[in-house]
Amino acid sequence: MIAARLTALAIGLCTAGSAQAACGDDPAACTVPGGSYHIVLPDGAPAATPALVFLHGFGSSGEGTLRNTGMVEAAVDRGYAVIAPDGQPREGRDGLSWDFHPERPARRDEGAFIRAVADDAAARFGLDRDVMLLSGFSIGGSLTSYVACAVPGSFRAYAPVAGSFWRPHPAACAGAVNLHHVHGWQDGTVPLEGRVLGSGVAQGDVFVALQIWRTANGCRLQPDAHGAQGDYQIRSWTGCDSGARLDFALHPGGHSVPPGWADLALDWFEALP
């Protein structure tokens, strides 16, 4: 179990604080071909530290991700590094975003970039490349879903928040994945059913995405378990033919990373076989 491995890693960790790692002359950003990322490490982190790789939302940045101190501190206090990649500049606008829409040409292979960030951070800071959870918020959650669908083995597991596929939905994914999707019941920015934006592109339907994941994982239609955990209503597919796990958690709020999300996601991640 991942949980046993992380318990062993936690021995000797000082979790009273955390340190943003420096890369070269810049105390904030590390660079890889095609882009940059930011990282926070647990104090006294041993070799083979696990990591949460979190992709920011539209108009934000990796540095902006690290300003979500509740999420970052919750992960760091559990012994995780938090890796926050940077999206690409938006022409004529502030902030960054991601380039992945299935019907638009991409300036960068985002999946290859995210994998390069994870590989670089593992080599540079002694992280365990095999114990990384890829997550993201909003459009970052969408990119998380596309990476999981196209190259399932890119990360140990995936946890998109308030973001999923866009239309046209993928016809199929390349293989099974462990995936934990969280969404707000009242989300009006990325509604569960999706919507058409002013640019003409259309967000996908989260329920259609769940069927795509069930098919990829070899799950039956009905969940194997469902119930409440705090503010979350969770449906879980744990008996899939592939052995992979799929969870869908709804909370009553809107378009946000809800309070307590990091512990919810990392509890799930550590319980994976």
Side-chain angles (χ1 to χ4, degrees):
M1 285 267 183
I2 290 178
R5 191 173 188 181
L6 296 183
T7 299
L9 287 173
I11 297 173
L13 272 179
C14 173
T15 59
S18 59
Q20 186 161 312
C23 288
D25 295 329
D26 187 339
C30 307
T31 59
V32 297
S36 58
Y37 68 94
H38 307 252
I39 185 169
V40 173
L41 301 169
D43 285 346
T49 295
L52 169 64
V53 183
F54 197 89
L55 309 180
H56 62 77
F58 186 73
S60 187
S61 64
E63 187 177 4
T65 294
L66 300 187
R67 288 196 288 269
N68 185 341
T69 55
M71 179 187 77
V72 173
E73 289 174 3
V76 169
D77 284 351
R78 294 176 67 131
Y80 287 77
V82 177
I83 302 170
D86 286 315
Q88 298 185 72
R90 300 182 298 160
E91 187 174 351
R93 305 177 70 179
D94 294 333
L96 307 173
S97 191
W98 304 102
D99 217 2
F100 63 82
H101 193 276
E103 293 190 333
R104 293 191 171 189
R107 293 171 291 165
R108 178 174 75 184
D109 183 332
E110 299 288 27
F113 168 67
I114 299 304
R115 288 187 289 273
V117 165
D119 293 344
D120 184 83
R124 194 189 300 251
F125 300 104
L127 309 182
D128 190 337
R129 182 64 178 87
D130 294 328
V131 189
M132 288 188 180
L133 173 64
L134 179 64
S135 183
F137 169 64
S138 192
I139 200 168
S142 293
L143 178 54
T144 298
S145 299
Y146 280 103
V147 172
C149 186
V151 188
S154 297
F155 291 87
R156 174 73 181 89
Y158 302 86
V161 181
S164 186
F165 297 127
W166 289 57
R167 287 180 168 88
H169 300 90
C173 290
V177 294
N178 292 301
L179 187 134
H180 184 279
H181 183 105
V182 167
H183 218 100
W185 181 255
Q186 300 184 64
D187 193 332
T189 302
V190 182
L192 286 162
E193 300 81 7
R195 63 181 177 130
V196 178
L197 303 183
S199 59
V201 298
Q203 297 163 346
D205 187 317
V206 173
F207 299 105
V208 172
L210 284 171
Q211 182 56 53
I212 293 170
W213 295 123
R214 284 194 295 264
T215 300
N217 283 4
C219 308
R220 66 192 187 101
L221 178 62
Q222 298 300 321
D224 300 291
H226 52 80
Q229 184 174 336
D231 287 337
Y232 296 94
Q233 295 288 332
I234 304 175
R235 301 172 77 83
S236 303
W237 289 263
T238 57
C240 306
D241 293 342
S242 64
R245 175 169 181 156
L246 173 64
D247 288 74
F248 179 52
L250 277 174
H251 63 89
H255 193 62
S256 68
V257 180
W261 170 82
D263 283 320
L264 176 78
L266 294 179
D267 284 346
W268 170 85
F269 182 59
E270 292 171 14
L272 292 174

